[in-house]
Amino acid sequence: MKLKAIKKYCIPIILIVIALIIEMFLSNYKLIGLDKAEIGKNSIDYYIEDNNLIIDKIDSYIKKLEIHYEADEDAIVTLNYVYLNEFEKGNAGSCKIELYEPLNSYILNIGKNIENIEIADAENVKITDIYINNEYTFSFIRAFGISVLFLLLYYVFYNRKHICKRLDVLGLMIILGIGSIMIVSVPSLANMAPDEQIHVYNSYYNSSLSHSEFSEAFYFVSESPGHSLPLSIETNLDLNEHLNSKEMTEAEASPKSKFVTYDQAPYLIAGLGIKFADILNFPFTIGFYFGKFTNLIFYAILSFFSIRKSKIGKKIVFAISILPTSIFLASHYSLDGIMIATLTFATVMFLNMYSDKNTKITKKDLALFIFPVILASFAKAIYAIMILLLLLLPKDKFSSIKQRRLFKTSIILILLLLSFTYVVPMMTGGIAGDSRGGDTSFAGQVTSIVTHPLGFIQMCANNIYIGVYKYLFNPENYNFFGYLSAPDSTMRLLLFVLLIYISLTSGHEFKIIKGKTRGIIIFIVLLISAMIYGAMYLTFTEVGNSLVAGVQSRYFLPILLLILISILPRNKYIANNENLEYSIISVFYIIILFISVYSTMIVLYAI
């Protein structure tokens, strides 16, 4: 018993200590071989040539470059440099950085042996001093990330003999752990997830039911186009300190309606976190993170219950719930995470009701299906079509023919009611073209379709043909981090192979879904897909264009489980040791997730 307690409580503490030691080594091991004079913070000489700032004959290791400047407005400069690789061969490198007007200094991670540096495009900024910063540092965020990695791997190892029964808890831990790393690693700016500036505005606007309050800090983080992300933890901290200053956080409250429109309801989730931070009088940047965390917690809890409640396809639900793309979207002010979580949960509830032939339909099961679909359709009305799945429930689920007919009538009425949020604005001209798509016009696009019906049909067929690979079989879709740099292609491919393996070896569990039912599910999937394409073609595509603009893979993630139900083979596969198999799969999944986040977020912004 004592040995078991040691394993359960002491080993995690040891792993955290090891993570701290590893971080201390990673941050400072390159300083060990330097001369004493090179350690610390040293000023460096430079000169101006052809309006470019030149620093030559450096020939030394630079951990961080510290630039001090004076500017009347934000200025984007280009840093060109020559560094020596492992074989002491010169290589050229370049990056753009944004020097923020209020900060007066910028620290840039270099971590290379540099020969010379050129700072170009610096006409609108006066650089006063430049330092080589080779001081000893410690990244608490990287230490946190490594700790999360070790603890997740340890949980899998500790439960390896019955991990299949713990997939719900493991999924919850992965989502909260990896999602938290994503949130704390990236800067307090809103230009990472697609359309995030819009979602930030709506979340803050709905964080209070009685008034709206927007500070200068809010306008700074939600400005579109967004600011360049600071490429070091030091500059991020300086930026946060500026955003939390009195002059940036003062704002006058304006009265607003206490009524929240249906399309704004999903923003109440992030708004709850923002309001909670406001009540506790936390700084602005902490409140900004709280909004993200409440979105993540909502996604994690609903995913936990999706995995736990799933009677068939549990492993596939687990794999979908911990997709890197889904966790990333859930960790930001995007509504996509909410839609993925709600519709995956609704699909699980449908599968449970459909597969349990001996149990009559209950109000609880119906509520657990309908309310998530309604919440998702508030965000994007096209997903209201999911309500039609209830029409596929077997007749044995009802006590009488009358009850079954009344039930089907109610479902049709609910669908019509939800459709009003999409159809009525379309019919009344309330939907206009989105200027971000170019020369768009809703009315002009409709006229074009009416006058060229055969061309429209051909265009639809071509786009669907292209989209099957682009949005379903493209590995990039499942390990995608918005506007941040893309994860390594190897990680994307490994994850995709893992997803295929999980799907093919677990797909037999859907054999209870008969051919006719599968056909109807495919029709529902195609109908939702057509509405996605239709919405983007009418509002986001230039009139007469033969390629639908604005369609993205994230729109299909909420119906990924439905798609897999439709296309997976029914061949039965039984692993010799299922717990061992999923212990190995979980380890690979966790490592892929961590490396993807580490390379795209921690290394760039949190060190």
Side-chain angles (χ1 to χ4, degrees):
M1 187 69 180
K2 291 183 179 180
L3 181 60
K4 187 176 181 180
I6 291 174
K7 286 183 178 180
K8 190 172 183 179
Y9 300 109
C10 293
I11 292 180
I13 296 174
I14 294 172
L15 291 174
I16 293 174
V17 173
I18 293 174
L20 298 178
I21 295 171
I22 291 174
E23 162 51 30
M24 185 72 75
F25 172 77
L26 290 175
S27 285
N28 303 295
Y29 76 96
K30 288 189 176 181
L31 301 182
I32 296 174
L34 299 183
D35 295 334
K36 189 174 181 180
E38 294 180 286
I39 304 294
K41 181 177 173 180
N42 299 301
S43 178
I44 188 170
D45 295 328
Y46 58 89
Y47 62 91
I48 306 297
E49 183 178 286
D50 296 330
N51 292 324
N52 295 333
L53 189 148
I54 308 296
I55 313 169
D56 59 7
K57 299 179 181 178
I58 301 174
D59 298 328
S60 67
Y61 174 77
I62 298 181
K63 184 178 185 177
K64 295 173 182 283
L65 190 70
E66 186 171 332
I67 303 171
H68 290 250
Y69 58 89
E70 296 175 359
D72 295 328
E73 58 183 16
D74 296 344
I76 296 178
V77 301
T78 303
L79 202 77
N80 302 309
Y81 54 90
V82 175
Y83 67 97
L84 298 178
N85 64 10
E86 296 83 352
F87 303 99
E88 297 188 355
K89 180 180 179 180
N91 290 268
S94 179
C95 70
K96 289 184 180 293
I97 59 175
E98 183 171 0
L99 303 180
Y100 301 101
E101 176 268 326
L103 298 189
N104 298 322
S105 68
Y106 191 104
I107 296 179
L108 175 67
N109 292 322
I110 300 292
K112 293 180 175 67
N113 293 311
I114 299 294
E115 285 192 333
N116 58 71
I117 295 174
E118 175 192 71
I119 300 179
D121 307 321
E123 295 86 357
N124 298 325
V125 62
K126 179 183 178 182
I127 295 177
T128 56
D129 290 293
I130 298 179
Y131 297 90
I132 293 177
N133 193 332
N134 285 339
E135 296 177 320
Y136 290 98
T137 58
F138 185 90
S139 173
F140 286 98
I141 293 176
R142 178 158 59 183
F144 170 68
I146 297 173
S147 299
V148 169
L149 172 65
F150 286 173
L151 292 176
L152 289 174
L153 293 177
Y154 174 69
Y155 182 84
V156 174
F157 176 79
Y158 186 81
N159 294 282
R160 65 191 182 280
K161 294 182 180 179
H162 45 81
I163 193 65
C164 289
K165 295 181 180 179
R166 298 284 189 271
L167 289 180
D168 50 356
V169 177
L170 178 59
L172 180 70
M173 292 174 64
I174 290 174
I175 293 168
L176 291 178
I178 299 298
S180 296
I181 297 174
M182 291 179 176
I183 291 173
V184 300
S185 295
V186 296
S188 300
L189 295 173
N191 52 318
M192 283 161 275
D195 303 326
E196 194 172 12
Q197 287 91 345
I198 297 172
H199 300 310
V200 167
Y201 175 86
N202 290 331
S203 297
Y204 270 84
Y205 184 78
N206 291 286
S207 63
S208 175
L209 299 181
S210 59
H211 66 275
S212 62
E213 188 172 315
F214 299 118
S215 63
E216 289 299 318
F218 165 81
Y219 288 117
F220 185 93
V221 302
S222 62
E223 187 174 345
S224 182
H227 296 272
S228 297
L229 305 179
L231 298 178
S232 71
I233 185 63
E234 291 88 353
T235 304
N236 278 313
L237 292 174
D238 289 344
L239 180 58
N240 284 356
E241 184 178 352
H242 170 67
L243 293 173
N244 294 330
S245 62
K246 185 177 180 181
E247 62 270 21
M248 291 295 288
T249 54
E250 285 185 339
E252 293 185 3
S254 301
K256 63 180 285 287
S257 172
K258 293 183 179 181
F259 178 76
V260 178
T261 58
Y262 66 87
D263 59 320
Q264 297 291 304
Y267 292 108
L268 294 175
I269 298 171
L272 181 65
I274 297 169
K275 185 63 177 179
F276 181 72
D278 183 57
I279 292 173
L280 296 179
N281 202 28
F282 283 148
F284 171 82
T285 55
I286 300 299
F288 188 81
Y289 285 135
F290 264 52
K292 293 184 177 184
F293 270 114
T294 47
N295 265 351
L296 178 65
I297 291 170
F298 176 87
Y299 178 85
I301 292 175
L302 212 53
S303 296
F304 168 81
F305 283 108
S306 293
I307 301 168
R308 169 164 286 194
K309 284 185 168 293
S310 56
K311 298 177 181 178
I312 59 175
K314 181 184 291 288
K315 302 178 190 68
I316 295 178
V317 175
F318 168 73
I320 291 174
S321 298
I322 61 172
L323 285 175
T325 301
S326 301
I327 298 177
F328 172 80
L329 293 170
S331 302
H332 291 81
Y333 282 94
S334 170
L335 295 185
D336 294 293
I338 294 172
M339 289 183 288
I340 293 168
T342 50
L343 294 181
T344 299
F345 181 80
T347 306
V348 167
M349 294 307 302
F350 162 74
L351 289 173
N352 289 348
M353 288 187 287
Y354 184 89
S355 61
D356 193 353
K357 305 290 186 181
N358 299 320
T359 304
K360 299 297 182 184
I361 194 169
T362 65
K363 293 179 181 179
K364 178 182 176 182
D365 289 339
L366 283 176
L368 290 175
F369 174 88
I370 292 174
F371 287 134
V373 172
I374 290 176
L375 182 59
S377 66
F378 283 168
K380 278 190 171 57
I382 53 178
Y383 295 117
I385 299 296
M386 286 272 291
I387 207 80
L388 292 178
L389 289 173
L390 291 177
L391 299 180
L392 300 177
L393 293 178
K395 59 183 180 181
D396 296 338
K397 302 290 291 183
F398 303 93
S399 302
S400 64
I401 296 176
K402 182 179 179 180
Q403 184 192 36
R404 186 184 178 194
R405 288 175 178 172
L406 181 62
F407 173 79
K408 289 186 175 183
T409 303
S410 301
I411 295 305
I412 298 299
L413 290 174
I414 293 174
L415 176 61
L416 291 175
L417 184 62
L418 293 174
S419 298
F420 279 135
T421 64
Y422 181 82
V423 176
V424 171
M426 183 188 299
M427 300 302 294
T428 59
I431 297 179
D434 192 324
S435 60
R436 293 173 300 169
D439 184 19
T440 60
S441 168
F442 178 83
Q445 200 69 279
V446 171
T447 302
S448 176
I449 293 171
V450 172
T451 54
H452 303 88
L454 294 179
F456 176 69
I457 294 172
Q458 183 179 354
M459 182 275 297
C460 290
N462 290 336
N463 278 269
I464 292 173
Y465 174 75
I466 296 171
V468 169
Y469 167 76
K470 191 174 181 180
Y471 304 122
L472 186 59
F473 294 110
N474 186 350
E476 294 182 6
N477 297 334
Y478 305 104
N479 202 351
F480 168 75
F481 293 156
Y483 302 133
L484 301 179
S485 59
D488 185 83
S489 58
T490 303
M491 293 298 105
R492 297 200 299 264
L493 184 59
L494 286 175
L495 175 68
F496 189 63
V497 171
L498 204 59
L499 289 173
I500 291 176
Y501 179 82
I502 293 171
S503 298
L504 291 179
T505 57
S506 304
H508 69 276
E509 297 177 18
F510 298 134
K511 64 182 179 180
I512 194 170
I513 309 295
K514 303 303 180 183
K516 181 181 177 180
T517 303
R518 285 194 177 205
I520 298 174
I521 293 175
I522 290 173
F523 173 76
I524 292 174
V525 168
L526 290 175
L527 189 56
I528 294 173
S529 302
M531 293 184 71
I532 292 172
Y533 274 96
M536 291 295 101
Y537 188 71
L538 290 171
T539 62
F540 204 82
T541 305
E542 291 188 353
V543 177
N545 200 330
S546 60
L547 185 65
V548 180
V551 179
Q552 299 180 34
S553 58
R554 59 193 173 98
Y555 300 148
F556 299 92
L557 289 178
I559 59 173
L560 181 57
L561 183 55
L562 269 185
I563 295 171
L564 293 178
I565 292 171
S566 307
I567 66 175
L568 286 179
R570 303 181 190 182
N571 297 332
K572 193 169 184 180
Y573 172 88
I574 301 176
N576 292 327
N577 189 334
E578 199 173 39
N579 286 303
L580 175 61
E581 178 187 28
Y582 271 85
S583 294
I584 297 172
I585 286 174
S586 298
V587 166
F588 271 103
Y589 220 128
I590 291 166
I591 292 174
I592 290 170
L593 269 165
F594 177 77
I595 292 176
S596 299
V597 175
Y598 184 84
S599 61
T600 57
M601 300 180 195
I602 296 179
V603 169
L604 293 178
Y605 310 115
I607 294 177

